[in-house]
Amino acid sequence: MHPLTRWLANERAQIFGVFTDIDDTLTTEGAITPDALQALGDLKAAGLHVIPITGRPVGWSEPFALSWPVDAIVAENGAVALLSDENGLQPLYGGRKALSKLYQQDAPTRAANYARMQQVAGRVVREVPGAVLSEDSPGRETDIAIDHSEFVHLPPESIAHAVQIMQSEGMNATVSSIHINGWFGAHNKLEGARWIVRELFGRDLDSEMDRWVYVGDSTNDQLMFEAFPHSVGVANIRRFEAELSHKPRYITEGERGAGFAEVAAALLAARSR
């Protein structure tokens, strides 16, 4: 992981889109910081595409999709997209707005998977001492989440046990900075990124991967770090460094929202040259 200052200006100047994780990348102590929110706005104002992509649920993501200056938020590890103003919000009576939601799976598949996932969640809670569903679980539609570091603490062996149970039931499982997520289906953060670029812009992400940057902070960002030639870890990724098979190319000096603001400043500085 090279210091962000090693990222060449001519490479930064070619970037026209930013994918970013949310928890502990945009947010600090569970809330977006003013510098990170300003960075989102500055990127959009400069004409860049900005798409947060997260393991958080649809219900948790909705207010941010309404208020943040982004093209969309892709939630539940690539399964669902919430579209922002110019990309799908429809005005309702009295000036209120409703979010447009896109799904990778059809409704019957989602319903069948949801029932299966609740059974697996019950097994994890029964068999892993101290395991509880994440507090944002009521907003989840296409995955389950076990809290390991947000409001409770699970030791590494318990995290591994929960992952093993999910995988033994045929689920995908990934560990973020706060949750263990499990789901049925072929989607993940990378497939979600490819999907939303097709849906929003009618383009093929793989053919323009070097024009995008991904910013993240934990082990569940490894697929993105591997795929994107321009990838950045905010400084708090150091806590996961020993567990990373695929590391970001660059690392910021600041942690969390401050680190994301560094990335935005670097991109904007290159465009103004």
Side-chain angles (χ1 to χ4, degrees):
M1 296 187 288
H2 303 294
L4 188 62
T5 53
R6 295 271 299 276
W7 193 6
L8 298 177
N10 66 313
E11 294 180 343
R12 285 181 276 132
Q14 298 302 309
I15 299 296
F16 58 57
V18 179
F19 283 107
T20 178
D21 179 55
I22 293 180
D23 282 298
D24 292 320
T25 301
L26 283 178
T27 64
T28 303
E29 301 296 330
I32 192 167
T33 52
D35 55 348
L37 186 58
Q38 182 65 48
L40 291 176
D42 291 344
L43 290 168
K44 282 293 290 175
L48 279 81
H49 299 306
V50 183
I51 304 175
I53 186 163
T54 179
R56 285 286 196 174
V58 173
W60 182 93
S61 302
E62 284 178 352
F64 307 118
L66 282 165
S67 61
W68 289 357
V70 297
D71 294 274
I73 291 181
V74 179
E76 302 189 19
N77 285 298
V80 192
L82 299 165
L83 304 190
S84 60
D85 291 272
E86 65 273 21
N87 294 310
L89 284 177
Q90 300 298 318
L92 298 179
Y93 179 78
R96 294 179 298 112
K97 292 179 177 179
L99 281 169
S100 298
K101 289 197 287 188
L102 300 176
Y103 295 91
Q104 290 230 50
Q105 298 172 333
D106 61 29
T109 300
R110 296 198 304 273
N113 286 345
Y114 187 86
R116 294 169 64 198
M117 289 188 299
Q118 305 320 302
Q119 295 177 344
V120 179
R123 182 183 166 196
V124 173
V125 170
R126 288 193 306 272
E127 296 183 17
V128 179
V132 297
L133 289 174
S134 64
E135 290 198 4
D136 63 11
S137 289
R140 293 186 178 277
E141 298 183 20
T142 63
D143 75 348
I144 56 174
I146 302 296
D147 190 343
H148 71 75
S149 291
E150 187 174 26
F151 298 107
V152 302
H153 177 75
L154 291 181
E157 59 271 20
S158 295
I159 295 173
H161 188 191
V163 169
Q164 184 274 322
I165 290 172
M166 292 179 185
Q167 292 176 337
S168 73
E169 295 280 358
M171 300 183 80
N172 296 291
T174 188
V175 181
S176 75
S177 61
I178 55 173
H179 294 159
I180 308 155
N181 295 92
W183 67 92
F184 292 107
H187 58 273
N188 51 45
K189 280 191 170 184
L190 180 56
E191 289 305 317
R194 289 173 170 141
W195 168 64
I196 198 61
V197 168
R198 288 195 304 271
E199 291 290 329
L200 287 187
F201 313 122
R203 302 204 305 258
D204 173 44
L205 177 61
D206 288 331
S207 68
E208 56 186 44
M209 194 74 83
D210 62 346
R211 305 291 302 279
W212 293 77
V213 61
Y214 181 76
V215 189
D217 76 295
S218 69
T219 54
N220 78 325
D221 295 310
Q222 292 185 92
L223 194 61
M224 304 294 269
F225 294 151
E226 181 183 15
F228 284 77
H230 305 296
S231 61
V232 183
V234 288
N236 44 294
I237 199 171
R238 293 285 187 195
R239 64 184 277 212
F240 296 106
E241 186 170 6
E243 302 165 42
L244 294 173
S245 299
H246 301 286
K247 298 177 183 179
R249 186 174 179 185
Y250 302 104
I251 187 169
T252 64
E253 291 186 6
E255 296 190 346
R256 300 175 172 85
F260 181 83
E262 278 182 49
V263 177
L267 291 171
L268 296 172
R271 293 171 70 87
S272 66
R273 290 167 66 92

